[in-house]
Amino acid sequence: MGVITEHDGPVTTITIDRPEVRNAVDGPTAQALADALRTFESDDEACVAVLTGSGGTFCAGADLGAVAEGGERANRLSTDGDGPMGPSRMRLTKPLIAAIEGYAVAGGLELALLADLRVMATDAVLGVFCRRFGVPLIDGGTVRLPRIVGQGRALDLILTGRAVDADEAFAIGLANRIVEPGTSLRAAQDLAREIAGFPQRCMLADRASVYAQWDLPFDEALRTEFDGGLRVVASGETVAGAQKFRDGTGRHGAF
């Protein structure tokens, strides 16, 4: 169905596999992507997922051929259920990393924005390329992009539809790591294994607080952070970590 899922210990790699159309997403592919991420969410052994595309391209967005035909993809235009690109309405509880080669544009950019972190090849390109075709951002682009780069920069990209190279993406916080062409997947998987190696209750609680605070007044956000932290302490994970530190593990910045 245009999506390949692979498992390597705690790391799940999900690959959009439609290289003949630069991994543009049609209806069945959108469904397969959503299903793959739900499976990752429900797998207790899976800690971090990596989303990428085959053939040197992340994702060119919606399959406009399917849109032009008004067929299967048009049937996904509903306020209920999954988004047109599949998982774009999800609120994942575990980290997702996008490994970006080639183009991540239009709906492909929106999929990349779903990730917590983006690892981008130096010759990759991001952009709201759908601007030129009258295709709106309806998979979270107008919501997630301002939260990541700020409203002014987001409007610059959204109104102009211009291309964003890796250097600019890194400078504005849209990309978190810049790597040599052809190495983004390996770098993202290495990063995923690093994150998966940390005490998970604490990491997930901190991550959840970051996302929850957007919807909360400041004082309530602080209470939510504190309550989540107390649950981590009560679990015993913090005490176990303190004992490791006492015994010499992880001192002087070692990981």
Side-chain angles (χ1 to χ4, degrees), residues 117-175:
L117 302 173
R118 282 154 294 281
V119 178
M120 185 175 178
T122 55
D123 61 352
V125 176
L126 308 176
V128 187
F129 282 17
C130 50
R131 177 59 54 239
R132 65 196 69 177
F133 301 115
V135 178
L137 295 171
I138 51 176
D139 282 277
T142 66
V143 179
R144 291 190 177 99
L145 186 59
R147 294 186 178 196
I148 293 169
V149 303
Q151 180 169 303
R153 288 184 173 119
L155 283 170
D156 179 13
L157 304 187
I158 290 168
L159 296 180
T160 68
R162 65 181 179 83
V164 179
D165 64 20
D167 287 341
E168 181 180 4
F170 184 74
I172 66 176
L174 185 51

Side-chain angles (χ1 to χ4, degrees), residues 212-243:
Q213 62 85 25
W214 287 104
D215 301 322
L216 301 173
F218 186 78
D219 289 343
E220 187 176 347
L222 287 178
R223 286 194 298 271
T224 297
E225 176 194 66
F226 188 72
D227 290 344
L230 283 183
R231 287 191 291 272
V232 174
V233 174
S235 75
E237 190 175 85
T238 301
V239 172
Q243 290 170 343

Side-chain angles (χ1 to χ4, degrees), residues 47 93-95 199-209 232 237:
C47 296
T93 63
K94 296 187 283 191
Q200 291 295 291
R201 284 180 182 270
C202 181
M203 183 273 292
L204 292 175
D206 288 347
R207 176 188 182 275
S209 179
V232 174
E237 190 175 85

Side-chain angles (χ1 to χ4, degrees), residues 1-3 15-34 51-53 57-67 72-74 76 83-88 105-111 139:
M1 300 294 287
V3 174
T15 304
I16 306 170
D17 188 37
R18 302 187 76 216
E20 70 280 2
V21 289
R22 294 191 176 185
N23 299 322
V25 172
D26 61 1
T29 305
Q31 186 63 59
L33 277 173
L51 178 63
T52 192
T57 297
F58 182 77
C59 175
D63 186 340
L64 294 184
V67 174
E72 58 188 357
R73 186 168 179 79
R76 295 187 62 86
M85 293 291 290
S88 55
V105 297
L109 174 61
E110 291 180 291
L111 285 179
D139 282 277

